[in-house]
Amino acid sequence: MAMIGLKYPIAAPIANYIKGVYPEVEAGTAFVVGKMISADKEVKFSDNPLYADDEIAENYLNFDEGTLKICVDHMTLEAQAKMYGHTYTEANEDSPEEIEKGGWDIPPYFVFGYYKTIIKNNKKSYQVTILYKTKFKPPKESAKTKEKSISWGTYESEGTIETLSGFNNDPYEKVVNFQTEDEARKYLNDYFKLSENPAGIGAGGNTENTGGTTNEQV
């Protein structure tokens, strides 16, 4: 199996988390974070062995922690404000667009999704990942003066992955596999209540019209 693609990172804030209920995505709250470069996910479980007769008789694996490191090529100021709890002000006739960052800003919890392209036995499939409860830290930023070569600017952000309480299995993630990219993209749009051509914050990029349907290229 080979993973040959990664696209369409979408985040939706969790307004009111209710124990024992999957987070509900409210229409109009989800946004496309940017064009995705990488997503490194790690989930750790701790061992809790019970020894008997000089051997492990039982071993209970307990969810310890999860992290998701994402990298996108660009995040608008509005997307940054939504992701990290900053204060955003739209541009108007009298003043430019701006964002104010504060030491006491609290990033919200998000439902977070994206899809990967997988190839096995020379056949592609498209795997959607939905993380039920995540929270992201503001990214590290760096800049340098112009040189002969180009330095690409990207946004790397690390998030925590948490389980949902009130369930028997404490779920934290759902993975759904599709045979076509259109199906995977539609599933994400439906799950996050986005239109086929979302004016997603942070989306950027061009649009392509195919047969009368406009699909945003992320």
Side-chain angles (χ1 to χ4, degrees):
M1 180 183 75
M3 286 182 284
I4 61 171
L6 181 69
K7 288 184 179 181
Y8 213 32
I10 304 176
I14 300 173
N16 296 299
Y17 175 66
I18 302 173
K19 185 177 180 180
V21 177
Y22 287 97
E24 178 70 18
V25 174
E26 294 183 9
T29 64
F31 60 97
V32 181
V33 177
K35 290 188 175 182
M36 205 162 193
I37 296 172
S38 64
D40 299 314
K41 177 165 58 72
E42 182 179 12
V43 178
K44 295 181 180 179
F45 289 82
S46 57
D47 288 316
N48 294 276
L50 170 67
Y51 288 87
D53 284 346
D54 296 333
E55 63 182 14
I56 297 177
E58 299 284 349
N59 190 10
Y60 177 74
L61 291 177
N62 185 60
F63 182 94
D64 192 9
E65 62 179 357
T67 58
L68 176 68
K69 296 179 181 179
I70 62 169
C71 182
V72 297
D73 77 330
H74 177 68
M75 286 181 67
T76 64
L77 293 185
E78 189 175 359
Q80 292 179 53
K82 285 181 173 287
M83 283 286 282
Y84 311 119
H86 303 318
T87 302
Y88 173 75
T89 304
E90 292 184 359
N92 56 44
E93 294 180 357
D94 301 319
S95 60
E97 176 188 40
E98 66 176 47
I99 184 175
E100 184 174 74
K101 305 177 183 180
W104 289 97
D105 291 346
I106 301 175
Y109 281 106
F110 288 101
V111 183
F112 191 83
Y114 55 90
Y115 71 88
K116 299 178 289 188
T117 305
I118 296 172
I119 187 166
K120 185 177 181 181
N121 298 327
N122 209 32
K123 185 177 180 181
K124 288 182 180 179
S125 63
Y126 302 86
Q127 194 173 90
V128 170
T129 297
I130 302 289
L131 295 164
Y132 296 124
K133 192 178 180 184
T134 62
K135 178 181 285 194
F136 291 91
K137 300 175 185 176
K140 180 175 68 174
E141 297 181 27
S142 62
K144 61 188 302 184
T145 189
K146 180 181 177 181
E147 298 177 342
K148 290 184 178 180
S149 60
I150 294 174
S151 297
W152 298 107
T154 58
Y155 288 80
E156 296 182 354
S157 185
E158 181 174 329
T160 59
I161 301 170
E162 297 187 19
T163 60
L164 300 180
S165 58
F167 294 86
N168 290 332
N169 62 335
D170 290 346
Y172 64 89
E173 177 183 5
K174 175 165 67 172
V175 178
V176 189
N177 205 58
F178 296 94
Q179 298 306 305
T180 69
E181 187 171 6
D182 285 345
E183 290 176 312
R185 196 177 186 91
K186 183 180 185 304
Y187 181 87
L188 280 169
N189 283 335
D190 290 346
Y191 191 98
F192 286 94
K193 301 178 181 177
L194 289 171
S195 64
E196 280 298 314
N197 181 31
I201 297 166
N206 300 318
T207 58
E208 178 179 273
N209 196 317
T210 56
T213 301
T214 304
N215 291 318
E216 184 178 10
Q217 301 303 302
V218 177

